Amino acid sequence: MRCVSCFQLPSSIFASSIMSSASSSTASNGLHTHSDASVSPSATHPDQSTHSYLNGFADQSLHNQKIIEYLYNYGFQRGEYADTVLHVHQNVYRLHAIILSRSPFLVQLLSTSPQVGGPRTIYVPVEREPEISAEGFAIALGYLYSSVSLKLVRPENARAVLAAGCMLGGMEELCQVAYETCKRSISIDSIGAWLEFVDAIPSPSTGADTPEVSSVRIFGSYAQSMRDDVFHFLVVTLPGVLEIQTTPSDSAPITSDSGREVLLQVFSRVPFEMFKAAIESPSFQIGSDQARFKFAKEAVEARKHGIARGPGFEETVVLAFGSAQGPGTSAVHVTRKMRKRPLWKVNS
């Protein structure tokens, strides 16, 4: 068990906060705020009409920035004057309940953890959330103190930050930044890891069955968004990156052998439901129906040695002809069925 002070950052990198005034008279820590107590800047300070005033006082954004800088440096990174000890993974944080209360998840832990002399101790259960790394959780935790954490999100940790942010709650801006970083990180080099991730996402429930238990359930609506992003990459972006273009007659794709081979390798690892949807999608432009049918057959053959191997299901591809195909539909269809068990003949 070790005590951490997270990430030391240059003191110049800090975001300013936005203050909001209450609509009615309130009292917090002995300070009263009245919504009708504002004074005209020009009336009280005619020689400073170019400045912004609130309740007769000049805008204190620089002062607010210094407060946030102090909170992050001394409160989060150094843990001074802490009243709460937080345990997560193998790390121990000395923090402050008033800041942690910004997170609905941590509020629940605080309210159910008794305080018997000294700092309150809380334990964050993340053992069943493999997507939440120590770094990702630290960035999300720091965001409760300052938006400087937004600058720490990188492609390598974005998914872990998103998972931690979704679990803690109350940090939509951080989640959105992490999600957009995830979206931009989908590439040929990373598609294998993203395919493993979407394969773990449970299919949308109809409500009639028991929800599946998944290691990615914590992402909420972002899970489906990332699934859609991976699908768009496979169907639209990847053929473009590999320079697979159709001829004017749409008879066959113009591409190098290496580009087509890469496309086959990627599709040989795609989960079946996404593979079927991609092959049959009108947006998957790799040539004529015959060209798409040939590609699908080769992909199915390659899948037999990888994702579709084993005694379970058998994947097949069919090419439909005639007028049954409506506009915007695919003549190429992918199906899957259980393999027939071999019949054993018993000799008498």
Side-chain angles (χ1 to χ4, degrees):
M1 189 74 68
R2 56 192 177 91
C3 184
V4 299
S5 57
C6 295
F7 308 95
Q8 294 293 336
L9 301 172
S11 60
S12 60
I13 306 179
F14 286 93
S16 63
S17 63
I18 301 175
M19 297 188 67
S20 61
S21 59
S23 58
S24 60
S25 176
T26 59
S28 299
N29 292 337
L31 300 177
H32 294 266
T33 302
H34 299 275
S35 60
D36 57 350
S38 61
V39 182
S40 171
S42 59
T44 57
H45 304 275
D47 57 335
Q48 300 180 16
S49 59
T50 57
H51 295 280
S52 173
Y53 291 85
L54 179 64
N55 290 341
F57 294 94
D59 180 18
Q60 299 297 314
S61 59
L62 179 60
H63 178 65
N64 299 337
Q65 181 176 345
K66 289 181 178 179
I67 292 176
I68 294 176
E69 178 178 342
Y70 185 88
L71 285 174
Y72 191 84
N73 269 336
Y74 290 88
F76 179 61
Q77 292 192 314
R78 300 188 184 184
E80 296 190 5
Y81 303 104
D83 60 8
T84 303
V85 177
L86 184 150
H87 296 255
V88 60
H89 291 113
Q90 298 300 315
N91 299 332
V92 180
Y93 294 87
R94 292 179 292 116
L95 303 169
H96 309 81
I98 188 62
I99 303 296
L100 299 183
S101 65
R102 297 184 60 202
S103 160
F105 181 86
L106 295 179
V107 164
Q108 177 65 20
L109 289 182
L110 288 169
S111 64
T112 56
S113 301
Q115 184 176 8
V116 184
R120 176 184 279 105
T121 300
I122 61 175
Y123 296 84
V124 181
V126 294
E127 294 76 13
R128 300 182 62 182
E129 304 294 349
E131 289 288 338
I132 299 180
S133 67
E135 181 185 15
F137 190 88
I139 293 174
L141 202 58
Y143 181 76
L144 294 173
Y145 285 78
S146 168
S147 59
V148 67
S149 285
L150 297 173
K151 297 182 181 296
L152 298 175
V153 180
R154 307 186 311 276
E156 297 79 15
N157 63 28
R159 206 163 75 201
V161 173
L162 179 57
C166 287
M167 184 185 76
L168 294 180
M171 46 187 70
E172 186 58 35
E173 183 184 17
L174 177 67
C175 289
Q176 190 62 35
V177 169
Y179 164 69
E180 293 295 337
T181 304
C182 287
K183 184 176 180 178
R184 292 192 299 270
S185 73
I186 303 174
S187 64
I188 295 179
D189 295 330
S190 66
I191 188 60
W194 279 108
L195 289 173
E196 291 180 6
F197 172 76
V198 298
D199 193 29
I201 299 176
S203 301
S205 176
T206 61
D209 53 350
T210 302
E212 296 181 58
V213 176
S214 169
S215 62
V216 297
R217 65 191 183 280
I218 195 172
F219 290 96
S221 61
Y222 287 106
Q224 184 59 44
S225 296
M226 288 188 284
R227 181 202 286 269
D228 294 341
D229 294 334
V230 172
F231 181 79
H232 184 270
F233 177 83
L234 290 173
V235 173
V236 179
T237 306
L238 185 57
V241 170
L242 298 176
E243 299 182 345
I244 298 179
Q245 301 173 349
T246 57
T247 64
S249 60
D250 195 36
S251 58
I254 301 176
T255 182
S256 64
D257 291 339
S258 60
R260 191 173 188 277
E261 183 61 30
V262 170
L263 194 64
L264 278 171
Q265 290 178 4
V266 172
F267 270 72
S268 69
R269 293 177 289 169
V270 177
F272 174 76
E273 293 298 334
M274 183 172 287
F275 173 72
K276 172 180 171 65
I279 292 294
E280 298 178 358
S281 173
S283 301
F284 188 48
Q285 298 294 325
I286 61 169
S288 64
D289 289 338
Q290 287 76 13
R292 186 189 301 229
F293 175 66
K294 181 180 179 182
F295 174 83
K297 285 190 65 176
E298 293 180 18
V300 166
E301 186 62 30
R303 294 165 64 82
K304 291 180 180 179
H305 306 286
I307 195 170
R309 70 176 182 271
F313 293 97
E314 181 179 9
E315 300 175 359
T316 58
V317 184
V318 296
L319 177 62
F321 295 96
S323 58
Q325 300 302 315
T329 60
S330 172
V332 180
H333 298 280
V334 179
T335 61
R336 183 173 66 169
K337 61 182 180 180
M338 289 290 296
R339 288 192 178 94
K340 294 182 179 180
R341 294 183 178 180
L343 299 177
W344 299 93
K345 183 179 180 180
V346 178
N347 296 323
S348 57

